[in-house]
Amino acid sequence: MKAAVVVFPGTNREHDIANAIALTSGAKPAMVWHGDSELPKVDLIVIPGGFSYGDYLRCGAMAAHSPVMREVKTRAEKGVPVLAVCNGFQVAAEMGIVPGTLMRNAHLQFVCGDVHLKVETSQSLFTNRYQQGQIIRVPVAHAEGNYFVDNDTLKRMEDRGQIALRYCGADGDLAAGNPNGSLRSIAGVFNETKSVLGMMPHPENAIEPRFGGTDGKALFESLVAAIA
Amino acid sequence: MNAPEKNPPVKLPNEPVITPQVVAEHGLAPDEYQRLLRIMGRDPTMVELGIFSAMWSEHCSYKSSKVWLKKLPTQAPWVICGPGENAGVIDIGDGQAAVFKMESHNHPSYIEPYQGAATGVGGILRDVFTMGARPIANVNALRFGDPSHPKTRHLVSGVVAGIGGYGNCMGIPTVAGETNFHRAYNENILVNAMTVGIAPADRIFYSAAAGLGNPIVYVGSKTGRDGIHGATMSSAEFSEDSESKRPTVQVGDPFVEKLLLEACLELMATDAIVAIQDMGAAGLTSSSFEMADKGELGVELHLDRVPMRETGMNPYELMLSESQERMLMVLKPGREEMARKVFEKWELDFAVIGTLTDTRRMVLRWHGDVVANIPIPPVVTQAPMYERPWTETRLPSTLAIADVPAPKDYGAALLKMIGCPDLASKAWIWRQYDHLIMGNTAIRPGGDSAVVRVAANKPKALAITSDCTPRYCAAHPETGGRQAVAEAWRNLTAVGARPLACTDNMNFGNPTKPEVMGQFGGCITGMAEACRALDFPIVSGNVSLYNETEGRPIMPTPVIGGVGLLADVEGCVDIALREAGLALVLVGETKGHLGQSIFLREVHGREAGAPPPVDLTVERRNGDFVRGQIGAGHVAACHDLSDGGLLIALTEMAMAGATGATIEAPGDIAPHAWLFGEDQGRYLLATARPDAVIAAAARAGVPARRIGTSGGGALTVEGLMAISLSELRRSHETWLPAYMAGEAA
Amino acid sequence: MKARVHVTLKNGVLDPQGKAIGNALHRLGFPEVGDVRQGKFIELEIEETDQTRAKARLDEMCRKLLANTVIENYRIELVA
Amino acid sequence: MKARVHVTLKNGVLDPQGKAIGNALHRLGFPEVGDVRQGKFIELEIEETDQTRAKARLDEMCRKLLANTVIENYRIELVA
Ligand SMILES: Nc1ncnc2c1ncn2[C@@H]1O[C@H](COP(=O)(O)OP(=O)(O)O)[C@@H](O)[C@H]1O
Ligand SMILES: [Mg+2]
């Protein structure tokens, strides 16, 4: 699996996710600077976490307009898989390659710590190594992860199975464990064709037993299985 | 001095006349001004006066503390660079070095908690990456006033948001810290921030300028009027009108600092940099003096070339501005364009603003005219240095156990203690800090030390902690100083690490008061003894004086930031009691010392007696033993005993691992003294091999006895109390969130 | 020329900041406060003397960057 | 009654957001943009009919919560 990780000024989780990809796929991803207009031909594009442009104005807004993102959008429209995590999700939402938007956390604070997630489907490039309904534990770290989308779109997304992950309690209770006030506890969503996944939690920080557990690993293994 | 000066400065348009009042406003005492006149051989210009005032401020000159700081041990075979540079550097093997330091931002944080704390973090990060290190962990040691004080909640919320705001954006995990509340800090909170970084041991960057004619380069953000007089402000005692000094507050831009970090590290990978120094307190003034003085050279700067954020700025402002996210560098000749490209790629300002000369003078030009011309060495060597009078704090008499009644209800006492502001969970704080980024955090906040792997896919890790028990320091500074070092050392040991070195942040009151100076000296004496006895040198540090409001000094607070090494992160242990059936082994001797204890304060409302004595020989022996047992794989969980004593430690272990325990008090000591005494040098181990551990302890001459067993959903002290973990957790976890949500203190 | 841009959330879009401010004001003893909405206020200097052109350019800036038109409205004001 | 509050940074105080927005606009092809400053815009409903009293209460809200008077200025506007 050949992957490219797009790096903006202020991105800071690019090494974490590059590591996770290298560890699971055996190949180091290419790091692509936002100013480059060339995006190598790859099987997977990753938009990593961080504070691109300081999260100023609106998180993700400035990065969404980086030169390289035009090409990312074109490729995404052609079906190249895109994994957009945390700030990457915010960027992807700003670009419109996944529906919805990420608002300030309802409690207005940055939140870092483990959350539980319910995997809503195993029928995707990103989740085929999980069981549908599986409860996993991975960390979050964000101040703007409060997912919002209008009712009509939400209904369509739910009908089409575009909800990838929801926050829940350790026992899968969807009424618990929402760390940021997200609508319907949504933690991750697909685009219509399920080739793009935007998610707030950090699977890349849950790949080693000593360092937050291994529940995030299957996400990368799913990609390797589906792509390579 | 008598020969006519070669380049006498011109005055700026509308320059005020220097009156005694102007001198006083610059924080210079009359005799200090006389000293200035002797050095200059003439009246200074305003720019020059401003420079002297900054260089001779307490903050930059350490004039009250220097004589004492010399007593601290700073050497060990693994120390690469001790105090005096931007940060301390130690060898951690495999060609790697750990670079770390702690720094205070107390006064700015009281005035504007968010920005004050944020720029404190920004400053300490720069200190570390200036030396060529990539930061891998942040630590914060916080002291707030009484929760019932009207400002406390606002200060907590702003400081925590500011620390998180800066560190999170930078992408550096904030992994450890401490948070105390006490009325002594009501109007003078303490915000101490520490950063630990990793650098190649043979690629450390220093600040000494070298190379006559080499270009001096300014990089980073533009200079604005931020914090002008910041350095003098943080050295002046707060008064009622401190609020009017508000506009000097600096605003941080962590996004720019992240770019600056990446740009500096990128340039450091080349051979372009001769010397580098961040612009911290007293900005361009102290950075240029420091570089020139250390390199025994002179400096000529064209201040009109400094990138400016505002129109109409003058040389005085440029020299004293404390705008953040700026660095000064000396480059090798001919490397300017290459360096410029790097900084422009990262969208940062870059300007060649001067050259190194051999005059040993600081010559500042403004559109060609000389506006300041100061001989450099005397400003440094003849800086005021005071041996201030001091009085000793006498050791209070030891409080006998018999003078401290047992609680009527042990369960109620425990619930009260575990939920009191000092012992309540600080999760509300660290959940706002990204403590997981980089994927290397093996032990998260909430234990004794944080453990952070040095690099992904490598086994080596650092243990990091910060510690101080101000109430001990107030009762008896020497014991308190000893205890702070010992506790940091113990916290590193408790995760299995070998303590290597520490940094300190000396927070004290007004040094012209003999009792404050006595506290300072006492703490230093105790720290020095402990550092020596534990082979735990101090490699960097910071002094913050004048921490008082309306005449009352804060409690003496010498914070110790400790760093230890774990060859293999897999070998570390944390405090969590995760399994039933483990034996609980108490290591160290328990006499039941209740003076200055949390039990005494929270249950009986008294702050009295002598602090627990610290026997450094015993401390070391017990610690070495515990580390050995962890290394041998005999230990499933370990917690050192500190605030609140044995029962608090056990409660924390039980809550952390969601497993209860049952213990039995021995018959030869009053149970409340045994459970809540704060005797030093002790650890509580959970082990599946109690016999091996106890036998090894006997061989090492270390007191160790089995006191109980893990298991169940409650904490039970036979015959005295039984209380469910959920009830304990409720008390422990609700106080801070409820308080911050606006509930009464 | 100087311009002012107000960016506000569309009706029906949840405003966590506004809500939190409202709650905080109640706690602080301002029970008379009802709905609160928080928006952005951006002041820009632009080198342009023609009002119409300035307005058109600002409109473009808003659509491209300053506002997220999925959830936000914007209003442009030119000042001398 | 409805009120509008503008909160802006004091002169001379660094505005990282404004700076970043200015840079982004340049990159997006708006070279005519000079200085940019970002502030907050808060709209509140208040149950109060007396203008003077409303103004006084709003002033208190600003000082207590809405503005950080150490670095920010505020301006209150009452709308019918
Ligand atoms: N401000 C803070 N930031 C991060 N962690 C904190 C903070 N305050 C306390 N902690 C964490 O809470 C735990 C308990 O702190 P403390 O009681 O001071 O520990 P100890 O007694 O072992 O020194 C530690 O893991 C410490 O790192
Ligand atoms: Mg401890």
Side-chain angles (χ1 to χ4, degrees), chain A residues 13 16 56 112 114 208, chain B residues 253 431 434 438 444 453:
Chain A
R13 260 188 168 88
D16 302 33
Y56 296 145
C112 175
D114 287 337
E208 292 177 86
Chain B
D253 186 345
R431 274 174 69 82
D434 192 336
M438 292 182 161
R444 301 177 179 189
R453 185 167 56 174

Side-chain angles (χ1 to χ4, degrees), chain A residues 57-58 61-62 65 93-94 100-108 144 146-148 150 181, chain C residues 7 9 12-17 19-21 40 42 63-68 70-72:
Chain A
L57 186 65
R58 280 188 320 279
M62 297 188 203
H65 289 102
E94 276 281 335
T101 186
L102 285 314
M103 320 264 300
R104 270 297 277 285
N105 294 347
H107 46 70
L108 301 192
E144 276 138 332
N146 184 353
Y147 187 79
F148 178 83
D150 64 79
Chain C
V7 180
L9 282 171
V13 175
L14 173 91
D15 176 9
Q17 310 215 42
K19 218 170 92 190
I21 293 172
K40 277 176 222 145
I42 303 163
R63 275 180 293 107
K64 275 203 175 155
L65 183 73
L66 301 181
N68 176 351
V70 177
I71 50 167
E72 292 171 329

Side-chain angles (χ1 to χ4, degrees), chain B residues 161-239:
Chain B
I163 290 171
Y166 210 101
N168 297 346
C169 182
M170 286 291 291
I172 316 297
T174 301
V175 295
E178 47 180 341
T179 314
N180 291 164
F181 295 85
H182 194 279
R183 62 181 181 279
Y185 305 102
N186 270 359
E187 298 183 18
N188 199 128
I189 60 171
L190 303 184
V191 175
N192 297 172
M194 170 178 170
T195 293
V196 183
I198 299 292
D202 59 352
R203 295 282 294 158
I204 305 293
F205 288 81
Y206 297 99
S207 58
L212 199 60
N214 277 352
I216 299 172
V217 168
Y218 169 115
V219 299
S221 278
K222 291 182 177 25
T223 299
R225 293 196 173 94
D226 320 66
I228 291 178
H229 272 155
T232 31
M233 177 181 88
S234 64
S235 305
E237 192 173 334
F238 265 25
S239 58

Side-chain angles (χ1 to χ4, degrees), chain B residues 463-635:
Chain B
I464 303 168
T465 183
S466 91
D467 292 280
C468 178
T469 313
R471 62 183 191 278
Y472 295 171
C473 298
H476 189 239
E478 200 176 312
T479 305
R482 223 181 278 137
Q483 195 274 341
V485 172
E487 187 176 345
W489 188 87
R490 204 184 301 146
N491 274 322
L492 299 174
T493 297
V495 297
R498 183 163 78 90
L500 287 180
C502 54
T503 179
D504 68 67
N505 205 135
M506 309 292 291
N507 306 277
F508 290 78
N510 180 345
T512 63
K513 294 180 182 168
E515 79 270 18
V516 169
M517 222 42 235
Q519 292 172 335
F520 191 89
C523 285
I524 290 274
T525 304
M527 286 162 58
E529 272 174 39
C531 288
R532 240 177 238 112
L534 301 172
D535 262 332
F536 196 39
I538 292 199
V539 295
S540 57
N542 177 251
V543 176
S544 171
L545 300 175
Y546 299 95
N547 288 292
E548 37 188 284
T549 303
E550 273 136 41
R552 279 171 292 112
I554 59 161
M555 288 197 277
T557 312
V559 178
I560 302 296
V563 173
L565 183 66
L566 283 145
D568 187 347
V569 68
E570 293 300 327
C572 72
V573 297
D574 64 13
I575 67 168
L577 215 50
R578 291 192 181 81
E579 285 173 62
L582 295 170
L584 298 168
V585 174
L586 175 61
V587 174
E589 193 184 3
T590 304
K591 290 184 177 158
H593 188 101
L594 290 171
Q596 299 299 339
S597 67
I598 294 274
F599 172 75
L600 187 67
R601 191 182 76 192
E602 296 299 324
V603 176
H604 292 297
R606 290 172 67 194
E607 297 175 59
V614 180
D615 182 327
L616 293 164
T617 313
V618 166
E619 188 73 54
R620 179 159 187 157
R621 184 195 65 196
N622 294 1
D624 288 347
F625 166 73
V626 167
R627 194 177 318 106
Q629 291 302 301
I630 295 172
H634 291 170
V635 179

